[in-house]
Amino acid sequence: SFLCQGYDAVTHEREKYEGKKVLILGKGNSGFETADMIYGYTDYVHMLSRERIKLSWATHYVGDLRGINNNLLDTYQLKSLDAVIEAEVDQEVKFKKKHGQYYMYEEGDETPFLGPYDKIINCLGFNYDSSLFRNLSGYEMKESQKYPSMDWGYQSLSVPNLYYAGTITHGLDKRLSSGGFIHGFRYTARALSRIFGALNHGIRWPRSQFPVDGIVPSILRRLNEMNGPYQMFYILVDVYIREGDTVYLYTDVPHGMLHRIHELILKDRTDKLEMVIVRLEYGEGFSKVGGDPFRHGRSQLDPVLAHTCNFIHPVLYYYTSIPPPVPLRSKLLIGFKKKIHLAEDLHTDFGTLQNHFYTLKNFIGSIWNTNMDFYSSSTCQILTLLQTELPYACRRHIRVRDKLTRTNIVSEVQPERWSFEELSGSFFNFMNTKNSSLLSNFCQP
């Protein structure tokens, strides 16, 4: 409106607002940044919008009001003349200028319900300029849309082979994650390049590999080092796929592309695919407008109650087949066989022995029906004398290639090279630290 000044045109010469009465339309970061700059000079500042303030520490969405910008809330709540107002601003509300100042009227009412104001500043955000694409056949976008429509591969829903990158892709994860900001979309842009590589050029999604018993240390290490899934919580995930005795890790995969994971890793689609999805999440219902993120009992460090954690923490999903498609603009993963939460941590250290290692080891062992305990070479040597079926780690340690029998195990590890001191020392050290039940079995006739 000609009555309003855009916040992009607000002068930084704050003295020009000395003694002025100012109305700011909008209560987002741009509105509060503007108010923060001028409120020390004004007579008062009022902020007006349809909805209540959304505080980022309550919603965990960085696009909502940040603490660094909300000084006006102090001056409002501590009985200053500044105010935050909710009202429907539509066609039935009009601004009129009278005696050099502005007033707000309801349609048909001659008595203003807000005012007077010397200046009105428009901080209502932006409209997306789609003029660049208007000549593209089939391109569709509603006037009210902030972001263009696209699928989880960042391709336009109305124009094939038109892809988006950067902050414009935030329409997929708005209010879910951080894709509208540089610390988020730098990882989604990288994901887009990998999608291009896999789907258009036959370049497999980057991966690493390790034996089955290496998945637990790999997950723990990644949880404390991952950058993409940490900034793009919910949206980017790590994918662990088991093929025989080998596990392949694919990092920073968009969760909405999991139903096409076989295309990203250059495999034929199959009805059976064992995979573990790892991502970071906030507690259900913890991130919301008007929530109390500082309430008593907000933190949960007990691994048994990890599913009640509120702060960001790891969640693992186990699939035995390719996941079904994820609805657009949704954070939900569906179709999994098992799911487990790992406890949150004050220092965001997801590698603690009691809260994370044991829980993770037991979960992986249960879904894969594999003993995920770690054994030293010396312990495995003892176990070859006590058991015919060895844990996976021991089978790998002694490199058994054929079916296991006590004879060929002992032959392969060459026990004649062990000294009596080495054998007895390893044995009793093992008995002091591992299952005492093995001792009773060993001593039975």
Side-chain angles (χ1 to χ4, degrees):
S1 168
F2 67 93
L3 300 178
C4 299
Q5 177 184 21
Y7 69 89
D8 55 323
V10 171
T11 178
H12 285 261
E13 299 176 32
R14 293 177 287 182
E15 296 79 5
K16 292 187 176 181
Y17 291 90
E18 187 73 44
K20 301 294 185 182
K21 301 172 177 62
V22 179
L23 174 66
I24 295 177
L25 302 179
K27 295 201 291 276
N29 280 301
S30 60
F32 273 89
E33 286 173 356
T34 303
D36 196 47
M37 183 182 71
I38 66 175
Y39 81 93
Y41 293 81
T42 59
D43 189 357
Y44 58 74
V45 174
H46 288 174
M47 303 190 70
L48 175 69
S49 70
R50 294 185 178 92
E51 300 177 347
R52 61 166 294 166
I53 295 171
K54 300 179 179 71
L55 299 169
S56 61
W57 62 60
T59 63
H60 301 108
Y61 174 59
V62 294
D64 288 335
L65 180 60
R66 307 296 295 271
I68 193 173
N69 296 326
N70 65 14
N71 287 325
L72 191 100
L73 295 182
D74 274 358
T75 64
Y76 169 44
Q77 290 295 323
L78 299 178
K79 306 305 180 185
S80 176
L81 292 174
D82 300 324
V84 174
I85 305 165
E86 287 79 43
E88 287 292 334
V89 182
D90 52 29
Q91 297 90 339
E92 297 181 355
V93 174
K94 293 184 177 180
F95 288 99
K96 294 182 180 180
K97 191 171 184 179
K98 186 177 181 180
H99 306 301
Q101 293 181 308
Y102 302 103
Y103 296 83
M104 181 181 284
Y105 293 82
E106 290 186 353
E107 185 71 27
D109 195 341
E110 295 302 319
T111 302
F113 71 92
L114 282 179
Y117 301 109
D118 299 302
K119 289 184 177 293
I120 302 175
I121 303 175
N122 181 356
C123 298
L124 293 175
F126 68 94
N127 287 320
Y128 177 70
D129 182 6
S130 61
S131 59
L132 177 65
F133 308 110
R134 286 174 186 165
N135 293 328
L136 292 178
S137 176
Y139 187 83
E140 295 180 1
M141 185 169 176
K142 296 179 182 178
E143 187 175 343
S144 59
Q145 280 185 253
K146 293 286 188 182
Y147 300 95
S149 299
M150 66 193 76
D151 62 23
W152 285 115
Y154 310 107
Q155 181 177 199
S156 169
L157 293 178
S158 57
V159 181
N161 298 319
L162 172 62
Y163 291 82
Y164 302 99
T167 188
I168 198 174
T169 63
H170 192 39
L172 286 173
D173 60 84
K174 186 176 181 181
R175 308 204 66 78
L176 294 178
S177 198
S178 307
F181 313 90
I182 179 60
H183 58 276
F185 69 66
R186 57 183 171 180
Y187 300 112
T188 58
R190 182 175 64 184
L192 174 60
S193 71
R194 292 175 176 176
I195 291 172
F196 281 159
L199 301 186
N200 300 336
H201 303 286
I203 302 174
R204 186 185 55 229
W205 198 279
R207 72 180 185 183
S208 57
Q209 67 183 72
F210 38 82
V212 168
D213 62 339
I215 187 173
V216 173
S218 173
I219 291 177
L220 293 177
R221 181 177 64 252
R222 275 289 296 170
L223 287 175
N224 287 283
E225 295 177 353
M226 57 173 49
N227 41 27
Y230 186 80
Q231 299 290 358
M232 288 299 297
F233 47 89
Y234 293 119
I235 304 301
L236 296 183
V237 304
D238 280 359
V239 181
Y240 294 81
I241 296 179
R242 179 178 182 177
E243 297 181 12
D245 285 341
T246 302
V247 176
Y248 296 96
L249 166 60
Y250 303 88
T251 62
D252 300 352
V253 178
H255 80 305
M257 290 293 289
L258 290 176
H259 67 292
R260 301 179 67 182
I261 187 66
H262 58 291
E263 298 179 61
L264 301 182
I265 64 176
L266 307 186
K267 295 279 189 180
D268 293 332
R269 186 176 180 89
T270 176
D271 292 333
K272 186 175 182 180
L273 187 66
E274 276 198 288
M275 55 197 301
V276 175
I277 307 300
V278 182
R279 71 174 184 179
L280 297 176
E281 301 180 6
Y282 283 97
E284 189 66 32
F286 186 56
S287 304
K288 60 183 179 181
V289 178
D292 181 9
F294 305 109
R295 65 180 182 269
H296 181 70
R298 62 188 176 273
S299 179
Q300 178 56 261
L301 303 179
D302 187 343
V304 178
L305 300 175
H307 61 285
T308 67
C309 287
N310 287 315
F311 289 95
I312 197 166
H313 63 282
V315 183
L316 281 70
Y317 299 80
Y318 172 60
Y319 288 86
T320 57
S321 60
I322 293 176
V326 176
L328 290 176
R329 292 173 290 280
S330 172
K331 64 184 179 182
L332 296 178
L333 289 177
I334 55 179
F336 53 87
K337 296 297 183 181
K338 291 186 178 181
K339 172 183 176 181
I340 192 170
H341 293 252
L342 300 183
E344 62 190 56
D345 186 83
L346 179 63
H347 301 288
T348 322
D349 178 4
F350 301 124
T352 64
L353 191 65
Q354 188 65 38
N355 288 358
H356 303 100
F357 171 75
Y358 288 134
T359 303
L360 179 60
K361 177 179 72 69
N362 293 335
F363 176 72
I364 297 296
S366 69
I367 62 175
W368 284 348
N369 194 27
T370 303
N371 185 341
M372 301 303 296
D373 287 334
F374 292 91
Y375 297 87
S376 66
S377 297
S378 58
T379 298
C380 288
Q381 291 170 348
I382 300 301
L383 287 177
T384 62
L385 303 177
L386 303 179
Q387 300 178 192
T388 57
E389 186 68 28
L390 296 180
Y392 176 85
C394 288
R395 297 202 305 271
R396 188 166 61 85
H397 271 309
I398 62 178
R399 300 173 184 172
V400 177
R401 290 178 293 273
D402 303 312
K403 291 183 179 180
L404 299 181
T405 64
R406 182 167 298 161
T407 301
N408 65 23
I409 292 175
V410 173
S411 174
E412 179 141 354
V413 296
Q414 299 179 340
E416 64 273 16
R417 295 185 180 180
W418 305 344
S419 68
F420 175 78
E421 293 79 7
E422 291 172 332
L423 182 58
S424 59
S426 297
F427 178 77
F428 287 108
N429 178 64
F430 168 72
M431 290 306 171
N432 287 331
T433 57
K434 302 300 287 184
N435 295 320
S436 60
S437 62
L438 289 176
L439 182 59
S440 61
N441 294 334
F442 181 75
C443 293
Q444 290 178 357

